[in-house]
Amino acid sequence: MIPFSDLWPILLGWAIAVGSPGPAILAIVGAAMGGGRANGFAVSTGVWCGSVFWALLAGFGLGAAMMAHAWVLDALRYIGAGYLLVLAFKSARAAMSKGETKVRAVNEPLRVSFLKGLTIHVMNPKAILFWGALFAVVIPEGAEPIALLQVGASCLAVSFTVMSTMAFAFSTRFIARGYLRLHRVFEGAFAALFGFAALKVLTAKVV
């Protein structure tokens, strides 16, 4: 077991990294503001499940196998970038719509919101690099498997807390009303940010 005194700074840094702007956080914020708390939580749960997927791969040492087959990571990278471009297009189309928004802009089944979050995170192979680096740096050489479980579970708990908090905060009535009044501005910003994220995914070197 790793003492909490050694673990909490890692968890604090992990929380900051999880809450920093990126494709997953953008999707959570957009769903929460435009579709309400349920859609925000659905997207955040999907993202979290994607994080569990990458954590398990890294924990079982499968990250090295994927790194040895760069075409797998490249395929995921291109598919993920394409999906982000689709989201950018949808946001741009919503930003240019002329109809007045009287209801919440996002009106999709919760399973669709969940799959959106899951897809965004699973199609981002850089996630396994973060998990692999985390395990390599935090867990001492020769440590018992319980240490791996402790670090992984703790970071996943932090991830769930941060993303759920984001979904709750951005689904409040005050923020939701502001979104409805300025939905074209928000959607235009989301379009630009999703497009930029797609470009970063395409140009980033995963291996």
Side-chain angles (χ1 to χ4, degrees):
M1 295 285 288
I2 298 175
F4 184 73
S5 58
D6 294 336
L7 186 58
W8 78 261
I10 303 298
L11 297 181
L12 178 61
W14 187 261
I16 294 172
V18 170
S20 61
I25 293 300
L26 287 176
I28 293 171
V29 170
M33 288 197 303
R37 191 166 301 162
N39 285 95
F41 278 128
V43 173
S44 67
T45 303
V47 172
W48 185 79
C49 288
S51 192
V52 172
F53 169 76
W54 288 118
L56 289 174
L57 286 185
F60 284 108
L62 298 179
M66 293 186 69
M67 298 284 285
H69 297 81
W71 67 269
V72 176
L73 298 179
D74 282 337
L76 287 173
R77 186 156 59 96
Y78 291 133
I79 294 172
Y83 185 65
L84 290 174
L85 288 175
V86 170
L87 295 179
F89 172 77
K90 289 183 177 181
S91 294
R93 185 172 59 183
M96 293 185 292
S97 63
K98 297 182 179 179
E100 182 181 359
T101 305
K102 296 182 179 180
V103 295
R104 297 218 169 165
V106 176
N107 184 22
E108 62 186 17
L110 296 183
R111 66 178 183 276
V112 174
S113 294
F114 171 83
L115 290 174
K116 178 188 293 183
L118 180 65
T119 301
I120 287 174
H121 212 55
V122 169
M123 293 303 172
N124 182 12
K126 290 177 64 178
I128 199 170
L129 301 182
F130 290 113
W131 279 104
L134 172 73
F135 290 149
V137 171
V138 177
I139 299 176
E141 186 177 355
E144 295 293 328
I146 189 65
L148 183 69
L149 179 62
Q150 177 193 13
V151 172
S154 298
C155 287
L156 285 173
V158 169
S159 296
F160 185 82
T161 301
V162 171
M163 291 185 290
S164 297
T165 301
M166 298 285 285
F168 176 82
F170 284 92
S171 65
T172 57
R173 182 174 299 178
F174 173 77
I175 293 179
R177 286 178 176 174
Y179 173 81
L180 291 178
R181 289 195 298 269
L182 301 171
H183 79 282
R184 293 188 183 89
V185 175
F186 280 113
E187 292 295 346
F190 284 133
L193 291 172
F194 275 128
F196 180 73
L199 179 63
K200 293 288 289 184
V201 169
L202 284 173
T203 57
K205 292 185 178 181
V206 179
V207 294

